[in-house]
Amino acid sequence: MILREFLYVDTDKVRALLAQLDGGIAEESRETERKEKRTTIGPRSAAQHLQGTGSESYTNKSLGDALFPTLEESLESELLLHDISEEASEADAWESGTLKTKYPPGSLVRITAPGSLFDTRYAAAAFAAFGHVNVGLKGIGASPSSEPQRTGKGKQSQQRPRPAKRGEGSSDQLEDAIPDFPKVGGTDGNTLRSFVQISKGVFTPGLHMNMTPAKGALISARLQEGRQYLDTEAEILFARYGTERHDWTLVGSIGSYGTEETELPDMNFYNPDGNINRGLFAEAMNAQMRNLGRIGFIDLPQHPGFSLIPFAVYRGIPRSTDLVQVQP
C-alpha cells in the first residue's frame, strides 16, 4: 500500500477523467432485502399467520482521498499514464529532444523528482518582514547595520517605513509593503523591492511547483487555489515545507514545451490593403511573448523544460527501515 501526503488535488479534473474512464463515479450504494412468510390454517376466515422480515442498508460513500488513487490505477491499467521519472533524470533525454518526441503536449505523465515551492507573494511578505525588523532594531538603537549607532538626538532621525501605496496587498503592489531601511550586508529596501518586481514577471504571483529532475531542465506547474488540500495562505505552506527542494510526485498532462525559437519574431501583421490582419497580429504578439519566455522574463516554460497541468501533487510517506523481529 502506498500512503500519500497530498499537497494538491484538482478534484474537478480527477472526477472528469474518472467519469470518462468508468462511465461515472459511484459515490453511494443502496441495498434492500425483504423476506415474507405466510401461513393459512383452515378456511380463509380462520386465523392466518404472517411473518415478514426486512432490512435496508444505505451507504453514502464519499471517495475523498481514494478519488485520485482510483484514477491513477485506472490510467495505468489503460496504459495512459507514463512514469517518466527515470527518463527525465537523464540530461541527454532533454538535450536530444527524446522526451519531447516521446511525450508530446497532452501526454499524461507522472514524475518523481526534487522540487520546491515558490510564491512571489511569500517572497514579498518575507522581505517586508525583514525590512520591518531592521526598522524596529534601528528604532531601539540595535540595528545590525554597518553604520555606527548615533546617540542622543541622532536616535530621533531613525529611518521611517516607506509609506504604502493604494492597493497594497494586490499583486501589483506587493513590493510597496517593503519599507526603507539602512543597508545590511549591501541589501536595502530598494534592492528587495527590485527583487519582488523581477519575481512578478518571472513567476506570476501564485503558488508554483518547480521540479528539476536534471541539470538545466525545469518542469513547472501552477497550483490553482481553491482545490483540495491546497491552503490559500502561502505563509502556512512555506512554514510547513520550507523553501528547500524535496522529492515530490507530480501527476498531470504536459501543457507545452519551452520554445526553441532564437530569432526575433516578424512584426509584419498588415494585409496588402493596409489593414491589420488579426490572425497575424495575434501570432506576432504570441511570438514576442515566446521570445520573452525563452530568456526567462515572463512566466512561460523555458527550453528544454515544459509546463505541466497538475492533477495531483503528493509525496510518499516513508516506511520505517527498522526490522521488527517476531519472537516465535
Side-chain angles (χ1 to χ4, degrees), residues 11-212:
T11 51
D12 291 339
K13 287 187 181 296
V14 170
R15 288 175 183 273
L17 286 173
L18 272 176
Q20 295 179 61
L21 288 169
D22 300 331
I25 307 171
E27 294 191 63
E28 66 178 44
S29 62
R30 185 188 297 270
E31 180 181 348
T32 303
E33 180 183 358
R34 183 172 183 82
K35 296 180 180 179
E36 183 176 301
K37 182 179 181 181
R38 184 185 297 271
T39 304
T40 302
I41 303 176
R44 291 184 178 274
S45 59
Q48 297 184 359
H49 177 68
L50 178 64
Q51 180 180 3
T53 60
S55 64
E56 181 176 349
S57 62
Y58 170 70
T59 303
N60 183 8
K61 181 181 180 182
S62 176
L63 296 181
D65 290 352
L67 253 185
F68 176 75
T70 302
L71 173 64
E72 200 170 19
E73 292 174 6
S74 298
L75 291 174
E76 286 181 325
S77 65
E78 296 290 337
L79 303 180
L80 292 172
L81 182 63
H82 311 281
D83 194 310
I84 64 172
S85 303
E86 186 175 348
E87 294 175 87
S89 65
E90 301 173 359
D92 291 342
W94 295 95
E95 296 172 0
S96 64
T98 302
L99 281 173
K100 185 176 182 179
T101 302
K102 194 173 180 180
Y103 306 106
S107 301
L108 302 183
V109 298
R110 176 179 59 218
I111 179 169
T112 301
S116 61
L117 299 172
F118 183 82
D119 193 331
T120 299
R121 298 170 302 182
Y122 179 71
F127 290 165
F130 177 78
H132 284 294
V133 167
N134 279 282
V135 170
L137 290 174
K138 178 72 173 179
I140 63 174
S143 173
S145 171
S146 58
E147 297 177 359
Q149 295 296 325
R150 296 180 180 179
T151 58
K153 294 182 179 180
K155 289 187 178 181
Q156 303 300 321
S157 60
Q158 58 187 316
Q159 191 75 33
R160 297 295 180 183
R162 184 171 180 265
K165 297 180 180 179
R166 284 187 180 179
E168 181 179 333
S170 66
S171 61
D172 293 335
Q173 306 294 335
L174 290 175
E175 65 273 17
D176 291 322
I178 302 174
D180 285 316
F181 58 90
K183 281 191 175 183
V184 179
T187 299
D188 57 11
N190 186 58
T191 301
L192 296 184
R193 286 191 292 271
S194 298
F195 280 139
V196 173
Q197 289 173 328
I198 296 171
S199 298
K200 289 195 300 184
V202 177
F203 291 100
T204 304
L207 188 64
H208 298 255
M209 170 61 72
N210 295 320
M211 279 190 165
T212 51

Side-chain angles (χ1 to χ4, degrees), residues 5 10 16 34 98 131 142 198 200 219 223 273 306:
E5 179 190 355
D10 190 333
R34 183 172 183 82
T98 302
I198 296 171
K200 289 195 300 184
I219 299 174
L223 307 184
D273 59 5
F306 59 79

